[in-house]
Amino acid sequence: MKIYQNLSEFQRLDNAVVTIGTFDGVHFGHQKIIRQLVAKAKADHGESVILTFFPHPRMIIDPENQDLKLINTINEKAAILKELGVDHLIITPFTRDFSNQTPEEYIQHTLVENIGTKHIIIGYDHRFGKDRTGNLTDLKAAGVHFGFTVEEIMEQDIHDVAVSSTKIRQALLAGDVSLAADYLGYPFSIFGRVIKGDKIGRTIGFPTANLFVEETYKLIPGDGIYAVTVEMSLESEKLKGESEKSKLQSEETDIQPTPSTLNLQPSTFRGMAYIGQRPTINGMTRNIEVNIFDFDQEIYGQDIKMNFLKFLRHDVKFTGLEALTLQLQKDKEATLAFFASQDSH
Protein backbone atom coordinates (compact mmCIF):
# COMPACT_ATOMS: atom_id res chain seq x y z
CA MET A 1 0.00 0.00 0.00
CA LYS A 2 1.23 3.47 -0.86
CA ILE A 3 0.69 6.29 1.62
CA TYR A 4 0.42 9.96 0.79
CA GLN A 5 0.51 12.81 3.27
CA ASN A 6 -1.38 15.18 1.00
CA LEU A 7 -3.44 15.16 -2.17
CA SER A 8 -0.62 17.05 -3.91
CA GLU A 9 1.64 13.98 -3.54
CA PHE A 10 -0.89 11.72 -5.27
CA GLN A 11 -0.62 11.04 -8.98
CA ARG A 12 -4.01 10.88 -10.64
CA LEU A 13 -5.12 7.36 -11.55
CA ASP A 14 -6.90 6.18 -14.68
CA ASN A 15 -9.34 3.95 -12.81
CA ALA A 16 -9.65 4.83 -9.13
CA VAL A 17 -12.23 3.06 -6.96
CA VAL A 18 -12.67 5.31 -3.96
CA THR A 19 -14.22 5.47 -0.54
CA ILE A 20 -14.00 8.30 1.99
CA GLY A 21 -14.08 8.36 5.77
CA THR A 22 -12.20 8.55 9.04
CA PHE A 23 -12.55 4.78 9.64
CA ASP A 24 -11.55 5.10 13.29
CA GLY A 25 -10.93 1.65 14.69
CA VAL A 26 -11.18 -0.03 11.26
CA HIS A 27 -13.58 -2.42 12.99
CA PHE A 28 -15.72 -5.20 11.51
CA GLY A 29 -18.24 -2.72 10.10
CA HIS A 30 -15.51 -0.74 8.37
CA GLN A 31 -13.78 -3.90 7.18
CA LYS A 32 -16.94 -4.98 5.33
CA ILE A 33 -16.93 -1.72 3.37
CA ILE A 34 -13.19 -1.85 2.69
CA ARG A 35 -13.34 -5.44 1.43
CA GLN A 36 -16.16 -4.32 -0.85
CA LEU A 37 -13.89 -1.53 -2.12
CA VAL A 38 -10.94 -3.83 -2.74
CA ALA A 39 -13.11 -6.43 -4.50
CA LYS A 40 -14.69 -3.80 -6.77
CA ALA A 41 -11.26 -2.42 -7.73
CA LYS A 42 -10.02 -5.88 -8.66
CA ALA A 43 -13.18 -6.68 -10.63
CA ASP A 44 -12.86 -3.41 -12.58
CA HIS A 45 -9.09 -3.77 -13.06
CA GLY A 46 -8.70 -0.54 -11.11
CA GLU A 47 -6.94 0.54 -7.94
CA SER A 48 -8.53 0.99 -4.52
CA VAL A 49 -8.15 4.38 -2.85
CA ILE A 50 -9.13 5.46 0.65
CA LEU A 51 -9.33 9.18 1.31
CA THR A 52 -9.11 9.87 5.02
CA PHE A 53 -8.48 12.97 7.07
CA PHE A 54 -6.01 14.01 9.73
CA PRO A 55 -6.39 15.81 12.00
CA HIS A 56 -9.90 14.45 12.57
CA PRO A 57 -12.42 17.00 11.24
CA ARG A 58 -13.87 17.54 14.70
CA MET A 59 -10.45 18.64 15.96
CA ILE A 60 -10.53 21.53 13.48
CA ILE A 61 -14.21 22.42 13.57
CA ASP A 62 -14.36 22.35 17.39
CA PRO A 63 -10.76 22.81 18.62
CA GLU A 64 -11.82 23.75 22.18
CA ASN A 65 -13.41 20.35 22.69
CA GLN A 66 -10.75 18.00 24.06
CA ASP A 67 -13.18 15.11 24.57
CA LEU A 68 -12.57 13.47 21.21
CA LYS A 69 -10.44 10.35 21.65
CA LEU A 70 -9.67 8.06 18.74
CA ILE A 71 -9.38 4.28 18.79
CA ASN A 72 -6.49 4.33 16.29
CA THR A 73 -3.62 6.68 15.70
CA ILE A 74 -3.08 7.46 12.04
CA ASN A 75 -0.17 5.00 11.86
CA GLU A 76 -2.17 2.19 13.47
CA LYS A 77 -4.98 2.80 11.00
CA ALA A 78 -2.59 2.67 8.06
CA ALA A 79 -1.15 -0.67 9.20
CA ILE A 80 -4.62 -2.26 9.36
CA LEU A 81 -5.69 -0.86 5.98
CA LYS A 82 -2.53 -2.28 4.43
CA GLU A 83 -3.42 -5.73 5.78
CA LEU A 84 -6.86 -5.41 4.16
CA GLY A 85 -5.27 -5.00 0.74
CA VAL A 86 -5.92 -1.32 0.02
CA ASP A 87 -3.72 0.05 -2.78
CA HIS A 88 -3.57 3.74 -1.85
CA LEU A 89 -4.16 5.69 1.36
CA ILE A 90 -4.39 9.47 1.06
CA ILE A 91 -4.14 11.24 4.41
CA THR A 92 -5.54 14.68 3.72
CA PRO A 93 -4.81 17.43 6.25
CA PHE A 94 -8.25 18.65 7.28
CA THR A 95 -8.01 22.43 7.45
CA ARG A 96 -10.43 25.35 7.55
CA ASP A 97 -9.67 26.05 3.88
CA PHE A 98 -10.39 22.44 2.93
CA SER A 99 -13.68 22.47 4.85
CA ASN A 100 -14.71 25.72 3.15
CA GLN A 101 -14.74 24.23 -0.35
CA THR A 102 -18.15 24.17 -1.97
CA PRO A 103 -19.52 20.69 -2.76
CA GLU A 104 -18.90 21.38 -6.44
CA GLU A 105 -15.27 22.38 -5.83
CA TYR A 106 -14.69 19.32 -3.65
CA ILE A 107 -16.04 16.94 -6.28
CA GLN A 108 -14.20 18.52 -9.21
CA HIS A 109 -10.84 19.26 -7.58
CA THR A 110 -10.50 16.39 -5.10
CA LEU A 111 -12.40 13.45 -6.55
CA VAL A 112 -12.04 14.08 -10.27
CA GLU A 113 -8.90 16.12 -10.94
CA ASN A 114 -6.68 14.93 -8.06
CA ILE A 115 -7.73 11.28 -7.68
CA GLY A 116 -9.28 10.29 -11.01
CA THR A 117 -12.36 8.69 -9.47
CA LYS A 118 -14.26 6.29 -11.72
CA HIS A 119 -16.31 4.61 -8.99
CA ILE A 120 -17.06 5.75 -5.46
CA ILE A 121 -18.51 3.69 -2.60
CA ILE A 122 -20.11 5.99 -0.08
CA GLY A 123 -22.66 6.04 2.73
CA TYR A 124 -26.27 7.02 2.08
CA ASP A 125 -25.89 9.85 4.60
CA HIS A 126 -22.50 11.15 3.43
CA ARG A 127 -22.17 14.94 3.64
CA PHE A 128 -19.35 17.02 2.22
CA GLY A 129 -18.35 20.55 1.28
CA LYS A 130 -18.85 23.81 3.14
CA ASP A 131 -21.34 23.44 6.00
CA ARG A 132 -21.81 19.81 4.92
CA THR A 133 -24.29 20.88 2.26
CA GLY A 134 -23.28 18.30 -0.35
CA ASN A 135 -25.09 14.95 -0.32
CA LEU A 136 -25.49 11.68 -2.20
CA THR A 137 -27.86 13.20 -4.74
CA ASP A 138 -25.27 15.85 -5.61
CA LEU A 139 -22.60 13.19 -5.94
CA LYS A 140 -24.71 11.08 -8.32
CA ALA A 141 -25.52 14.12 -10.46
CA ALA A 142 -21.83 15.04 -10.64
CA GLY A 143 -21.02 11.45 -11.57
CA VAL A 144 -23.16 11.75 -14.68
CA HIS A 145 -21.33 14.94 -15.62
CA PHE A 146 -17.78 13.82 -14.82
CA GLY A 147 -18.10 10.15 -15.76
CA PHE A 148 -17.95 8.27 -12.45
CA THR A 149 -20.45 5.92 -10.84
CA VAL A 150 -21.70 6.01 -7.26
CA GLU A 151 -22.38 2.94 -5.13
CA GLU A 152 -24.46 3.57 -2.02
CA ILE A 153 -23.68 1.91 1.30
CA MET A 154 -27.03 0.94 2.78
CA GLU A 155 -28.51 2.54 5.89
CA GLN A 156 -28.27 -0.65 7.96
CA ASP A 157 -24.54 -0.99 7.24
CA ILE A 158 -23.93 2.65 8.19
CA HIS A 159 -25.97 2.16 11.35
CA ASP A 160 -23.94 -0.94 12.25
CA VAL A 161 -20.70 1.03 11.82
CA ALA A 162 -21.90 3.84 14.10
CA VAL A 163 -23.18 1.45 16.77
CA SER A 164 -19.96 -0.57 16.72
CA SER A 165 -17.78 2.54 17.07
CA THR A 166 -19.81 3.74 20.06
CA LYS A 167 -19.75 0.35 21.74
CA ILE A 168 -16.00 -0.01 21.24
CA ARG A 169 -15.31 3.35 22.89
CA GLN A 170 -17.67 2.60 25.76
CA ALA A 171 -16.13 -0.84 26.29
CA LEU A 172 -12.57 0.51 26.31
CA LEU A 173 -13.35 3.30 28.75
CA ALA A 174 -14.94 0.71 31.04
CA GLY A 175 -11.90 -1.54 30.69
CA ASP A 176 -13.77 -4.25 28.79
CA VAL A 177 -11.04 -4.90 26.24
CA SER A 178 -12.47 -8.35 25.44
CA LEU A 179 -15.75 -6.86 24.21
CA ALA A 180 -13.87 -4.18 22.29
CA ALA A 181 -11.84 -6.89 20.53
CA ASP A 182 -15.07 -8.68 19.54
CA TYR A 183 -16.21 -5.56 17.68
CA LEU A 184 -12.79 -4.60 16.33
CA GLY A 185 -11.86 -8.05 15.09
CA TYR A 186 -8.43 -7.69 16.72
CA PRO A 187 -7.04 -6.80 20.17
CA PHE A 188 -6.98 -3.11 21.03
CA SER A 189 -3.41 -1.87 21.24
CA ILE A 190 -1.29 1.09 22.26
CA PHE A 191 2.00 2.17 20.70
CA GLY A 192 4.36 4.13 22.88
CA ARG A 193 7.94 4.84 23.86
CA VAL A 194 9.53 3.45 27.00
CA ILE A 195 10.58 6.26 29.33
CA LYS A 196 12.23 6.34 32.73
CA GLY A 197 10.00 6.12 35.79
CA ASP A 198 10.73 6.29 39.50
CA LYS A 199 11.62 2.55 39.58
CA ILE A 200 9.40 1.73 42.57
CA GLY A 201 8.33 -1.48 40.83
CA ARG A 202 11.88 -2.79 40.94
CA THR A 203 12.01 -2.44 44.71
CA ILE A 204 8.99 -4.74 45.15
CA GLY A 205 9.92 -7.34 42.54
CA PHE A 206 7.71 -6.05 39.72
CA PRO A 207 9.82 -3.84 37.44
CA THR A 208 7.77 -2.01 34.85
CA ALA A 209 8.35 -0.27 31.56
CA ASN A 210 6.68 3.14 31.64
CA LEU A 211 5.01 4.00 28.37
CA PHE A 212 4.72 7.48 26.85
CA VAL A 213 2.02 7.83 24.20
CA GLU A 214 2.81 10.85 22.04
CA GLU A 215 -0.63 11.15 20.48
CA THR A 216 -2.79 12.95 23.05
CA TYR A 217 -5.93 12.09 21.08
CA LYS A 218 -5.39 8.33 21.49
CA LEU A 219 -8.09 6.65 23.57
CA ILE A 220 -6.64 4.96 26.66
CA PRO A 221 -8.62 2.17 28.37
CA GLY A 222 -10.06 2.61 31.85
CA ASP A 223 -7.81 2.41 34.91
CA GLY A 224 -6.90 -1.06 36.10
CA ILE A 225 -4.75 -4.14 35.55
CA TYR A 226 -4.73 -6.00 32.22
CA ALA A 227 -3.25 -9.14 30.71
CA VAL A 228 -1.27 -8.01 27.67
CA THR A 229 1.26 -9.01 25.08
CA VAL A 230 4.15 -6.70 24.25
CA GLU A 231 5.71 -6.51 20.79
CA MET A 232 9.11 -4.97 20.23
CA SER A 233 12.14 -5.28 17.98
CA LEU A 234 15.38 -6.15 19.72
CA GLU A 235 18.94 -5.72 18.51
CA SER A 236 22.40 -5.92 20.02
CA GLU A 237 22.72 -2.15 20.37
CA LYS A 238 20.18 0.01 22.12
CA LEU A 239 17.33 0.70 19.76
CA LYS A 240 16.31 4.26 19.36
CA GLY A 241 12.62 4.29 18.47
CA GLU A 242 11.12 6.79 16.11
CA SER A 243 7.74 8.43 16.58
CA GLU A 244 4.73 7.44 14.52
CA LYS A 245 4.66 10.85 12.97
CA SER A 246 8.17 10.45 11.56
CA LYS A 247 7.38 6.95 10.36
CA LEU A 248 4.58 8.28 8.19
CA GLN A 249 6.52 11.20 6.70
CA SER A 250 7.61 10.73 3.10
CA GLU A 251 5.89 7.35 2.75
CA GLU A 252 4.86 8.14 -0.79
CA THR A 253 6.03 4.72 -1.90
CA ASP A 254 6.09 1.28 -0.34
CA ILE A 255 8.29 1.10 2.75
CA GLN A 256 11.61 -0.63 2.14
CA PRO A 257 13.79 -1.89 4.99
CA THR A 258 16.88 0.22 5.64
CA PRO A 259 20.22 -1.23 6.76
CA SER A 260 19.56 -0.05 10.32
CA THR A 261 16.37 -2.09 10.55
CA LEU A 262 17.51 -5.28 8.89
CA ASN A 263 19.14 -6.60 12.09
CA LEU A 264 16.07 -6.13 14.28
CA GLN A 265 14.36 -9.24 15.57
CA PRO A 266 10.64 -8.84 16.28
CA SER A 267 9.75 -10.42 19.60
CA THR A 268 6.51 -10.85 21.56
CA PHE A 269 6.35 -11.14 25.33
CA ARG A 270 3.58 -11.63 27.85
CA GLY A 271 2.92 -9.41 30.80
CA MET A 272 0.48 -7.40 32.84
CA ALA A 273 -0.18 -3.74 32.33
CA TYR A 274 -1.27 -1.04 34.74
CA ILE A 275 -3.17 2.14 33.90
CA GLY A 276 -3.87 4.62 36.68
CA GLN A 277 -2.56 7.30 39.02
CA ARG A 278 -0.88 4.89 41.47
CA PRO A 279 -3.03 5.88 44.47
CA THR A 280 -1.05 3.70 46.90
CA ILE A 281 1.93 6.05 46.58
CA ASN A 282 -0.25 9.15 46.14
CA GLY A 283 0.61 9.50 42.47
CA MET A 284 -0.45 12.70 40.73
CA THR A 285 -0.34 11.70 37.04
CA ARG A 286 -1.96 8.92 35.04
CA ASN A 287 0.61 6.29 34.14
CA ILE A 288 0.75 3.43 31.64
CA GLU A 289 3.13 0.72 32.82
CA VAL A 290 3.78 -2.90 31.92
CA ASN A 291 5.52 -5.67 33.82
CA ILE A 292 6.99 -7.89 31.09
CA PHE A 293 7.33 -11.49 32.18
CA ASP A 294 10.71 -13.25 31.86
CA PHE A 295 12.40 -10.11 30.56
CA ASP A 296 15.30 -8.13 32.03
CA GLN A 297 16.70 -5.96 29.20
CA GLU A 298 16.99 -2.18 29.32
CA ILE A 299 14.65 -0.80 26.69
CA TYR A 300 14.55 2.91 27.49
CA GLY A 301 13.81 4.89 24.35
CA GLN A 302 12.33 1.95 22.48
CA ASP A 303 8.93 1.97 20.83
CA ILE A 304 6.72 -0.94 21.80
CA LYS A 305 3.23 -2.14 20.97
CA MET A 306 1.01 -3.34 23.81
CA ASN A 307 -2.02 -5.52 23.00
CA PHE A 308 -4.78 -5.58 25.62
CA LEU A 309 -6.27 -9.04 25.99
CA LYS A 310 -8.16 -9.21 29.30
CA PHE A 311 -9.22 -6.88 32.10
CA LEU A 312 -8.17 -8.31 35.49
CA ARG A 313 -9.26 -5.77 38.11
CA HIS A 314 -9.89 -2.10 38.84
CA ASP A 315 -7.29 0.22 40.34
CA VAL A 316 -7.27 0.18 44.15
CA LYS A 317 -5.49 2.16 46.84
CA PHE A 318 -3.69 -0.23 49.19
CA THR A 319 -2.47 0.42 52.73
CA GLY A 320 1.14 0.31 51.61
CA LEU A 321 3.71 -1.29 49.31
CA GLU A 322 3.54 -4.65 51.13
CA ALA A 323 -0.18 -4.99 50.49
CA LEU A 324 0.32 -3.84 46.90
CA THR A 325 3.04 -6.44 46.37
CA LEU A 326 0.80 -9.24 47.62
CA GLN A 327 -1.94 -8.17 45.22
CA LEU A 328 0.48 -7.91 42.30
CA GLN A 329 1.53 -11.50 42.96
CA LYS A 330 -2.14 -12.51 42.69
CA ASP A 331 -2.49 -10.43 39.54
CA LYS A 332 0.45 -12.20 37.97
CA GLU A 333 -1.03 -15.59 38.85
CA ALA A 334 -4.33 -14.54 37.27
CA THR A 335 -2.51 -13.32 34.16
CA LEU A 336 -0.56 -16.58 33.83
CA ALA A 337 -3.77 -18.55 34.29
CA PHE A 338 -5.39 -16.54 31.50
CA PHE A 339 -2.52 -17.27 29.11
CA ALA A 340 -2.56 -20.95 30.11
CA SER A 341 -6.25 -21.13 29.22
CA GLN A 342 -5.50 -19.46 25.88
CA ASP A 343 -2.72 -21.95 25.15
CA SER A 344 -5.00 -24.89 25.83
CA HIS A 345 -7.54 -23.81 23.22
Side-chain angles (χ1 to χ4, degrees), residues 285-302:
T285 58
R286 195 175 189 221
N287 281 25
I288 305 172
E289 305 178 19
V290 58
N291 174 237
I292 306 173
F293 299 161
D294 304 315
F295 186 82
D296 61 1
Q297 296 187 42
E298 292 286 359
I299 52 173
Y300 293 129
Q302 179 158 342

Side-chain angles (χ1 to χ4, degrees), residues 88-109:
H88 304 274
L89 174 63
I90 306 172
I91 304 169
T92 303
F94 193 87
T95 62
R96 287 281 182 187
D97 288 343
F98 186 87
S99 68
N100 283 330
Q101 293 181 101
T102 66
E104 294 77 16
E105 289 171 337
Y106 173 77
I107 292 170
Q108 181 172 345
H109 298 320

Side-chain angles (χ1 to χ4, degrees), residues 10 12-19 37 40-41 44-49 107 110-121 139-140 142-151:
F10 187 80
R12 188 178 186 273
L13 299 175
D14 294 329
N15 189 8
V17 180
V18 181
T19 193
L37 173 82
K40 176 66 175 174
D44 289 358
H45 304 289
E47 297 177 65
S48 56
V49 179
I107 292 170
T110 300
L111 298 182
V112 178
E113 295 175 357
N114 284 110
I115 298 178
T117 302
K118 293 300 181 184
H119 185 80
I120 185 167
I121 301 174
L139 204 55
K140 288 180 176 178
V144 174
H145 178 71
F146 288 109
F148 63 83
T149 53
V150 180
E151 183 176 346

